[in-house]
């Protein structure tokens, strides 16, 4: 009897793991494999901070498997070559894996593995692990199918595993993969234990003011679930989060905590939207490299390197935007509204093609999830043809979300001595006020990269011209038919009157950005 191999990808847990459970049920020795793929870490949207988060998560997975008599076999290389070497040493009867929604390159790798398995008469079984449905023909009724999957019992971790005894190999250092040093001193810790703790603390303590506090970066770091990184690597399943939220909702309702209950309801809604955007990417992984709507292809110039660097490093001269980008650099996370503002500023105010900025932003995110990041960046860049364009005013957002300039003072300390009203827009401060605060625009703090109000007006004119191009409407209709949230059965946002006025209602703020 040959061995069963469980190929872990972005499902790094022992609980609610259909592939692991199936291998254990089949009986016999099991190889639990994780492949570190140098080609993947060479992609322009991957980074050292993500690798550090991964290695912590792998450490927790190894402990969980060891507690059940198994072990985690880590190999570095190309997937087919790794599997070939393992098969020569320990013949394989079957490979169990979860379906992965990822970059086109990961699709191609999975197809190569499937072909190799067929040639060697090895069963290659891919199990569903999220609300995403592979080979979906129609979005009609998608939400009901999502609910049905999420309501199924969580699969218990196997009590005992029979280890196949594959020899251990060390996890390579980030430098060995060509990853540049990427200090991120305030990032989250990876791993199953931290994921479970974050879920519990959110549902019963931190999330009380989630609905109110999620929009401001000053409060969102604590009030949001902070599960996005754990969901991206799968140390926690979406189903576990959904069912845990359901239990918390019942408890808060029973205790008469209506405000907390509404916050949990909002979180549950965002779990739906999380998979909705993943489904878009599953159906069209080209969203990472090509504008969804053809009218926008080539409409913006490629990002200028200097402009891109000022934007990603938080040196645009717009204090609130700069504070957000600097906080992201040091923490690896940013709340949804601020991610949307950053993407929109790059695409509208700076009028840059979205692809290189999207990659640069992805590298900053510890919780990078391709299936959410790229559809969202396209949506915030106004290239989907079906979503209402949102051109965020960075000064208005600053005043609304950081009225006293506290967040700015923390992350843009060169402006901390300015009186709070001038921190939002220091170019309006009298010269004497600037001098008293030690601020010299263009020297101690940059001049504005653009006049944000004028740039927004110009972007609206350009956008209107693009939307009036012949063929824009029919192409939008086709996109809506394929990817639209209405057909799926998801609840729409806005009033009924607003939905009648707007052909495709805007999707709510959501994402891997909980």
């Amino acid at each position: 009897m040959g061995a069963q191999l469980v190929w872990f990808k972005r499902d790094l847990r022992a609980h609610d793991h259909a592939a692991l459970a199936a291998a254990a049920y089949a009986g016999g020795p099991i190889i639990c494999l994780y492949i570190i793929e140098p080609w993947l870490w060479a992609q322009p949207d991957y980074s050292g901070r993500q690798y550090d988060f991964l290695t912590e998560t792998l450490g927790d997975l190894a402990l969980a498997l060891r507690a059940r008599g198994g072990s985690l076999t880590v190999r570095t290389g190309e997937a087919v070559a790794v599997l070939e070497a393992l098969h020569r040493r320990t013949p394989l009867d079957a490979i169990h894996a979860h379906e992965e929604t990822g970059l086109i390159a990961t699709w191609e790798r999975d197809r190569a593995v499937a072909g190799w398995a067929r040639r060697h008469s090895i069963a290659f079984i891919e199990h569903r692990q999220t609300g995403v449905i592979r080979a979906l023909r129609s979005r009609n009724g998608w939400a009901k199918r999502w609910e049905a999957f999420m309501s199924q019992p969580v699969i218990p971790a196997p009590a005992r595993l029979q280890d196949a005894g594959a020899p251990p190999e060390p996890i390579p250092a980030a430098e060995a993969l060509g990853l540049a040093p990427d200090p991120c001193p305030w990032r989250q810790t990876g791993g199953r234990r931290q994921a479970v703790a974050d879920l519990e603390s959110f549902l019963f303590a931190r999330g009380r003011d989630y609905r109110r506090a999620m929009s401001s970066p000053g409060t969102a770091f604590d009030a949001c679930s902070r599960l996005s990184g754990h969901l991206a690597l799968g140390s926690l399943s979406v189903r576990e989060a959904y069912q845990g939220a359901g239990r918390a909702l019942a408890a808060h309702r029973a205790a008469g905590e209506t405000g907390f209950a509404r916050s949990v309801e909002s979180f549950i809604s965002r779990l739906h939207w999380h998979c909705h955007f993943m489904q878009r990417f599953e159906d069209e992984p080209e969203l990472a490299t090509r504008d969804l709507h053809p009218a926008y292809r080539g409409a913006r110039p490629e990002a200028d390197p200097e402009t891109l660097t000022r934007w990603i490093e938080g040196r645009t001269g717009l204090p609130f935007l700069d504070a957000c980008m600097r906080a992201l650099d040091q923490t690896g996370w940013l709340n949804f509204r601020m991610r949307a503002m950053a993407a929109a500023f790059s695409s509208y105010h700076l009028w840059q093609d979205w692809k290189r900025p999207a990659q640069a932003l992805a590298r900053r995110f510890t919780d990078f999830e391709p299936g959410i990041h790229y559809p969202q960046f396209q949506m915030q860049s106004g290239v989907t043809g079906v979503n209402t364009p949102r051109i965020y005013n960075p000064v208005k957002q600053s005043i609304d979300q950081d009225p006293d300039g506290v967040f700015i003072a923390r992350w843009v300390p060169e402006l901390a001595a300015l009186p709070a009203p001038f921190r939002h827009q220091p170019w309006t401060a009298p010269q004497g006020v600037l001098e008293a605060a030690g601020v010299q625009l263009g020297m101690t703090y940059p001049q504005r990269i653009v006049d944000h109000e004028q740039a927004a007006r110009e972007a609206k004119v350009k956008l209107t011209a693009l939307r009036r191009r012949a063929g824009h409407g029919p192409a939008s209709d086709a996109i809506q038919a394929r990817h639209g949230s209405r057909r799926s059965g998801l609840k729409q946002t806005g009033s009924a009157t607003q939905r009648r006025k707007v052909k495709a209602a805007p999707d709510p703020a959501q994402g891997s950005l909980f």
Side-chain angles (χ1 to χ4, degrees):
M1 181 179 181
Q4 305 287 313
L5 185 142
V6 181
W7 180 16
F8 289 88
K9 291 184 278 188
R10 291 195 293 130
D11 48 356
L12 305 183
R13 60 186 184 276
H15 297 76
D16 202 28
H17 200 287
L20 182 62
Y25 182 79
I30 296 175
I31 299 173
C32 294
L33 172 69
Y34 184 83
I35 306 173
I36 293 174
E37 301 167 288
W39 66 264
L40 179 65
W41 292 100
Q43 300 300 306
D45 25 26
Y46 283 86
S47 64
R49 65 186 57 192
Q50 296 164 4
Y51 189 70
D52 291 341
F53 191 79
L54 167 70
T55 57
E56 291 167 354
T57 304
L58 290 175
D60 258 21
L61 175 59
L63 290 175
L65 296 173
R66 193 177 307 141
R68 292 162 174 82
S71 65
L72 180 63
T73 299
V74 177
R75 293 290 186 269
T76 302
E78 189 270 327
V80 168
V82 167
L83 292 168
E84 179 71 45
L86 289 171
H87 181 55
R88 284 199 301 267
R89 183 185 184 279
T90 305
L92 303 177
D93 279 351
I95 298 171
H96 299 268
H98 273 129
E99 295 172 344
E100 179 183 8
T101 298
L103 301 171
I104 291 176
T106 65
W107 282 87
E108 293 172 346
R109 170 254 276 153
D110 288 355
R111 284 195 289 268
V113 167
W116 175 85
R118 280 194 304 272
R119 292 191 297 274
H120 289 76
S121 300
I122 299 169
F124 181 38
I125 307 159
E126 293 185 283
H127 304 260
R128 182 179 170 193
Q129 75 156 331
T130 70
V132 175
I133 301 169
R134 180 145 292 178
L136 183 65
R137 294 185 178 182
S138 170
R139 273 301 190 107
N140 291 339
W142 180 87
K144 289 184 178 179
R145 296 172 71 177
W146 187 95
E147 288 279 358
F149 181 82
M150 293 301 163
S151 299
Q152 293 173 8
V154 168
I155 301 169
R160 193 71 187 164
L161 299 171
Q162 182 181 341
D163 187 37
E169 289 186 6
I171 296 176
E175 311 88 74
L177 298 174
L179 291 168
D182 189 15
C184 188
W186 299 102
R187 72 166 176 83
Q188 285 179 273
T189 300
R192 169 79 180 183
R193 290 170 294 179
Q194 188 63 51
V196 172
D198 287 345
L199 177 64
E200 184 77 8
S201 67
F202 171 72
L203 292 176
F204 293 99
R206 295 184 296 106
R208 182 179 299 275
D209 295 326
Y210 175 61
R211 284 162 58 94
R212 177 190 60 80
M214 70 170 74
S215 294
S216 170
T219 53
F221 279 86
D222 292 325
C224 287
S225 79
R226 307 305 305 278
L227 295 177
S228 51
H230 303 303
L231 293 176
L233 285 188
S235 54
L236 185 78
S237 74
V238 178
R239 181 159 50 196
E240 288 179 297
Y242 174 75
Q243 294 190 13
R247 291 190 292 271
L249 178 61
H252 293 316
R253 284 175 173 169
E257 297 180 324
T258 56
F260 210 148
R262 284 195 293 270
S263 286
V264 175
E265 288 173 342
S266 293
F267 173 71
I268 291 173
S269 174
R270 280 159 175 78
L271 289 176
H272 286 79
W273 286 99
H274 171 279
C275 292
H276 165 70
F277 277 89
M278 293 284 289
Q279 185 70 59
R280 285 188 179 182
F281 203 66
E282 171 79 18
D283 297 342
E284 196 165 349
E286 294 84 2
L287 289 172
T289 57
R290 186 183 70 194
D291 301 63
L292 179 58
H293 196 294
Y296 302 94
R297 295 170 191 167
R300 294 179 172 104
E302 189 174 282
D304 169 68
E306 181 180 352
T307 300
L308 177 60
T309 299
R310 287 186 61 179
W311 171 77
I312 197 66
E313 292 182 353
R315 295 187 289 108
T316 68
L318 281 300
F320 188 59
L321 174 62
D322 288 349
C324 289
M325 301 305 263
R326 296 183 192 186
L328 171 60
D329 177 56
Q330 295 294 297
T331 67
W333 188 86
L334 196 62
N335 60 316
F336 171 78
R337 183 179 290 271
M338 300 303 98
R339 296 187 190 207
M341 178 186 72
F345 188 86
S346 172
S347 295
Y348 291 121
H349 296 85
L350 301 179
W351 200 251
Q352 300 180 111
D353 182 79
W354 58 270
K355 298 175 191 66
R356 287 192 176 179
Q359 292 171 345
L361 203 59
R363 290 193 294 273
R364 288 284 201 261
F365 291 149
T366 303
D367 61 1
F368 171 51
E369 171 58 79
I372 294 173
H373 179 70
Y374 285 110
Q376 271 291 333
F377 212 107
Q378 289 215 30
M379 179 174 151
Q380 302 304 335
S381 299
V383 299
T384 67
V386 297
N387 300 104
T388 303
R390 300 183 180 122
I391 303 180
Y392 291 82
N393 182 323
V395 173
K396 182 181 185 302
Q397 290 297 314
S398 181
I399 294 169
D400 289 348
Q401 307 300 339
D402 186 32
D404 297 322
V406 174
F407 186 75
I408 293 173
R410 177 181 178 184
W411 294 106
V412 189
E414 57 266 46
L415 299 181
L418 275 177
F422 294 119
R423 290 179 199 161
H424 303 293
Q425 36 191 343
W427 56 89
T428 66
Q431 187 59 35
V433 172
L434 292 172
E435 291 175 357
V439 176
Q440 188 176 356
L441 296 180
M443 296 293 290
T444 62
Y445 183 70
Q447 296 279 3
R448 279 186 296 173
I449 195 168
V450 292
D451 180 325
H452 63 285
E453 293 178 330
Q454 178 63 29
R457 287 191 292 269
E458 293 173 358
K460 289 176 183 177
V461 171
K462 294 173 184 175
L463 197 63
T464 298
L466 289 169
R467 293 170 75 89
R468 288 177 176 170
R469 283 183 176 180
H472 187 283
S476 295
D477 290 342
I479 291 167
Q480 181 67 16
R482 182 175 186 184
H483 295 294
S485 55
R486 284 186 181 180
R487 294 168 62 89
S488 70
L490 287 173
K491 293 180 180 179
Q492 299 297 308
T493 58
S495 68
T497 300
Q498 289 172 326
R499 291 197 297 270
R500 284 193 296 269
K501 288 181 179 178
V502 181
K503 187 171 188 178
D507 294 325
Q510 56 67 53
S512 64
L513 325 169
F514 300 143

